[in-house]
Amino acid sequence: MTDISTSDVQHLAQLSSLQLDDHEVEALRVDLGNILGYIDQLSELNTEGVEPTYQVTDLQNVWRDDVIDNYDLGRDELLALAPDADSNQIKVPKVL
Amino acid sequence: MVKISDFLNLSARENVERALAKAREHEAFHALLSLSEDRALERAAKVDAGEITGRLAGVPFIAKDNFLTLGDTTTAASKFLENFKAPLQATAIEKLEAEGAICIGKANLDAYAHGGSTENSAFGPTKNAHDQARVAGGSSGGSAVVVALDIVPFALGSDTGGSIRQPASFNGVVGVKPTYGTVSRYGVVAMASSTDTIGVLSADVEDAELVMDILSGQDRKDMTTLPDFFVPTLIESPKRIGVIKEFMTEDVDADVRARVTEYIEAMKTKGHTVEEVSLPMVKYALGIYYIVVPAEISSNLGRYDGIRYGARAEASSLGEVYGLSRDQGFMPENKRRIMIGSYVLSSGFFDAYYLQAQKARTLLINEFNKIFESFDVIVGPVAPTPAFKLGENTEDPVKMYLADIMTVPASLAGLPAVSVPAGVTNEGLPVGVQLIGPRKSDALLLALAKEGEK
């Protein structure tokens, strides 16, 4: 169990763009503490001089021609997926 | 159980109608989120008219609901995508359709494939095919159950840390998680890009082999795909089999150990040599996994913002659109993983968690490489227990994660792994044995599994 405070959870929620209610914050405080407590076991491993692994293909630099391909998708089809759209634009609430 | 061959050279329309009827008959298991009846019957008419031919002409199948398909919704079992109708199809679906296969519906999963029981679905859990009081496993729980119930001969799943293998084991079907990069992931809802794989669940090993043969290969829409290396094969000489010592301890359910031991004994009688092997790093695999994968999840799920597609919450400012849409659209487990990801990637914690985990991942891979210098294949259980009871682990996320402890090592190393039925416990619950091989040994694993069926 790693000690996580309510304000830690609120900070992480902000980083994650999650608007949580108080009940969720408290539940996550307990759960995250337990999960971090478990993964903390990695700190006992000596990894000095070990290269990190970021991917497990043998591939490097897969190139394609610099040609636009719309994958057979049209603008109207994609705009139709938006919760709110008007005049070929996606609408959102006022920003300022 | 039904096989692909049971559906070939028959009326595609009748095949589809039979599968749909069976799906409706088994509604109580809640294995399916939607049926695509209209499109399936349309495709069947084309097959019956001879317009579409192929190795799977007229064969019905079901896809996990994180594969984009035309015809009905693709929800990823989330509120966010509850009404989402994809404008395109996953490459895997396109390849199967090109061979005449017909997708009749979409299978339930843990929302966004986060989970090991299908209890994290926003639309309610799937029940185990052998005991409705127990979980289907997950996250491809629905895909495993529809095969176990004989609704279709095969189903598509995705496996990031065990999501094909564990439900296959819990329901007594075959589950194939291929070498990372074998099958295109284009059009499949992304979870953790460095371990996400696409695979198949089926009643029969040969059927899984045929489907993998069709699915494998490079796709220009997924730059991580490998040139096609999958060629079905047979076992012609004795293999060196290693039994993973760390997976056969007393912490593992006694019946699970007994079934796996019997399977290994049967391999011996076929002439293979069997020895115990030790992989000390596997005890860290779950810790590595629950750092690396949430990190990638927090990044991949950033796209669900309520702006371009999916559900948007009622809100008065743009910030609230993001915050509330995400709060309402995600399940608690999705939020836990996003938050853990944000934590391990934060400045100040990055080196201690994320970087340390990626270094530990290298040590784990080195250990596998070393073992595969002396062994062709390693074996062990798929999960430490048979299917657990619904609700048994939902209050404790760490306890739920421990169900993945035997499947995450192969995922982190990008290795192929197959879950094969190995009998049942005294209570009649299925147990699976896991065969793990070096990269690109997928066909060998299936050949061994085929041999084991006889």
Side-chain angles (χ1 to χ4, degrees):
Chain A
M1 167 95 202
T2 300
D3 220 11
I4 295 287
S5 69
T6 303
S7 70
D8 290 336
V9 176
Q10 283 159 343
H11 175 62
L12 288 173
Q14 202 181 2
L15 291 176
S16 310
S17 282
L18 287 166
Q19 198 161 319
L20 306 172
D21 63 37
D22 292 346
H23 171 75
E24 287 182 296
V25 169
E26 179 50 22
L28 279 161
R29 193 185 63 77
V30 175
D31 289 346
L32 297 190
N34 287 331
I35 296 166
L36 292 170
Y38 180 82
I39 62 183
D40 266 338
Q41 59 168 277
L42 287 192
S43 62
E44 73 193 44
L45 267 179
N46 181 4
T47 55
E48 216 183 301
V50 178
E51 284 296 315
T53 296
Y54 293 111
Q55 57 113 327
V56 290
T57 65
D58 293 329
L59 303 170
Q60 274 187 357
N61 295 342
V62 179
W63 306 104
R64 62 161 175 81
D65 293 334
D66 188 16
V67 177
I68 294 170
D69 182 347
N70 65 8
Y71 289 1
D72 299 324
L73 292 171
R75 180 173 63 186
D76 293 344
E77 257 175 300
L78 295 177
L79 276 171
L81 298 174
D84 199 2
D86 193 3
S87 317
N88 289 333
Q89 317 244 10
I90 292 172
K91 274 174 83 174
V92 295
K94 242 179 13 191
V95 179
L96 289 173
Chain B
M1 285 167 84
V2 296
K3 294 180 180 184
I4 286 173
S5 58
D6 299 333
F7 293 85
L8 295 172
N9 306 313
L10 297 172
S11 150
R13 186 187 174 85
E14 281 172 27
N15 283 345
V16 166
E17 282 172 345
R18 185 154 53 114
L20 288 167
K22 206 135 198 200
R24 293 194 169 104
E25 182 191 319
H26 288 305
E27 261 169 13
F29 290 89
H30 195 50
L32 286 150
L33 293 178
S34 60
L35 292 174
S36 10
E37 183 160 11
D38 293 348
R39 185 178 160 88
L41 289 171
E42 235 170 73
R43 303 282 308 173
K46 285 186 180 162
V47 171
D48 286 335
E51 289 169 40
I52 308 171
T53 56
R55 287 179 280 174
L56 296 174
V59 178
F61 75 98
I62 284 165
K64 188 175 181 178
D65 204 22
N66 57 351
F67 286 73
L68 304 194
T69 54
L70 300 174
D72 211 307
T73 50
T74 297
T75 68
S78 75
K79 288 279 177 199
F80 234 123
L81 300 178
E82 188 168 7
N83 300 308
F84 177 72
K85 285 204 167 179
L88 56 92
Q89 295 208 106
T91 296
I93 304 285
E94 293 277 307
K95 282 188 158 183
L96 292 172
E97 283 197 344
E99 291 281 357
I102 299 167
C103 181
I104 65 149
K106 307 294 286 292
N108 200 6
L109 63 149
D110 290 293
Y112 291 99
H114 302 175
S117 69
T118 313
E119 290 166 290
N120 294 329
S121 166
F123 310 116
T126 294
K127 296 173 180 157
N128 190 284
H130 296 259
D131 179 351
Q132 291 203 34
R134 291 180 186 268
V135 300
S139 64
S140 310
S143 299
V145 171
V146 294
V147 171
L149 293 174
D150 276 349
I151 295 170
V152 284
F154 73 93
L156 290 180
S158 60
D159 189 314
T160 302
S163 282
I164 287 175
R165 289 163 282 162
Q166 187 251 34
S169 171
F170 282 9
N171 291 283
V173 304
V174 176
V176 182
K177 174 249 180 273
T179 299
Y180 180 82
T182 307
V183 181
S184 170
R185 302 174 295 180
Y186 177 72
V188 180
V189 175
M191 175 179 166
S193 302
S194 85
T195 66
D196 282 348
T197 59
I198 302 306
V200 61
L201 300 98
S202 66
D204 179 74
V205 180
E206 236 170 78
D207 285 352
E209 194 174 51
L210 171 60
V211 175
M212 287 310 301
D213 196 25
I214 291 166
L215 293 179
S216 59
Q218 236 165 353
D219 179 10
R220 67 183 181 88
K221 293 172 178 170
D222 177 354
M223 297 288 204
T224 60
T225 45
L226 303 169
D228 198 359
F229 60 85
F230 187 88
V231 183
T233 184
L234 291 168
I235 300 297
E236 275 159 1
S237 59
K239 300 297 168 202
R240 300 161 299 171
I241 313 283
V243 182
I244 308 166
K245 184 177 121 185
E246 287 79 6
F247 289 176
M248 296 294 274
T249 64
E250 285 189 358
D251 296 339
V252 179
D253 180 272
D255 278 2
V256 169
R257 268 183 289 143
R259 295 299 90 78
V260 171
T261 304
E262 286 158 19
Y263 191 91
I264 293 163
E265 288 303 317
M267 292 178 111
K268 271 190 205 166
T269 64
K270 295 198 165 74
H272 304 298
T273 59
V274 177
E275 259 179 74
E276 194 175 76
V277 296
S278 176
L279 279 155
M281 275 300 295
V282 296
K283 84 170 204 190
Y284 297 105
L286 199 67
I288 301 170
Y289 183 84
Y290 277 100
I291 293 172
V292 172
V293 165
E296 295 182 20
I297 285 171
S298 71
S299 163
N300 267 330
L301 270 60
R303 71 189 69 177
Y304 300 100
D305 54 10
I307 304 290
R308 292 155 300 157
Y309 54 88
R312 181 187 293 183
E314 285 294 324
S316 53
S317 72
L318 188 61
E320 269 195 357
V321 169
Y322 299 143
L324 289 175
S325 299
R326 288 167 67 77
D327 187 44
Q328 293 166 19
F330 290 133
M331 294 294 283
E333 181 59 21
N334 304 135
K335 294 176 201 173
R336 275 180 214 120
R337 295 192 186 197
I338 291 169
M339 302 270 282
I340 290 286
S342 296
Y343 185 87
V344 299
L345 292 174
S346 325
S347 59
F349 295 114
F350 181 88
D351 285 2
Y353 288 100
Y354 188 72
L355 190 62
Q356 175 74 353
Q358 298 289 41
K359 288 177 174 175
R361 188 179 188 179
T362 304
L363 296 176
L364 174 71
I365 292 170
N366 291 347
E367 228 172 68
F368 272 121
N369 289 342
K370 184 97 190 126
I371 295 282
F372 288 128
E373 285 172 13
S374 324
F375 293 89
D376 298 303
V377 174
I378 54 178
V379 300
V382 177
T385 65
F388 42 89
K389 293 220 165 77
L390 284 157
E392 193 177 323
N393 290 341
T394 41
E395 294 306 310
D396 183 350
V398 173
K399 209 170 151 204
M400 186 71 93
Y401 296 171
L402 286 167
D404 300 338
I405 200 155
M406 292 163 170
T407 45
V408 298
S411 295
L412 289 166
L415 304 175
V418 176
S419 171
V420 191
V424 295
T425 64
N426 290 335
E427 285 179 273
L429 299 171
V431 172
V433 62
Q434 184 176 207
L435 312 177
I436 305 173
R439 282 166 50 75
K440 303 188 187 176
S441 67
D442 308 48
L444 170 71
L445 299 182
L446 289 172
L448 273 171
K450 262 191 296 187
E451 186 190 59
E453 279 183 327
K454 284 166 195 142

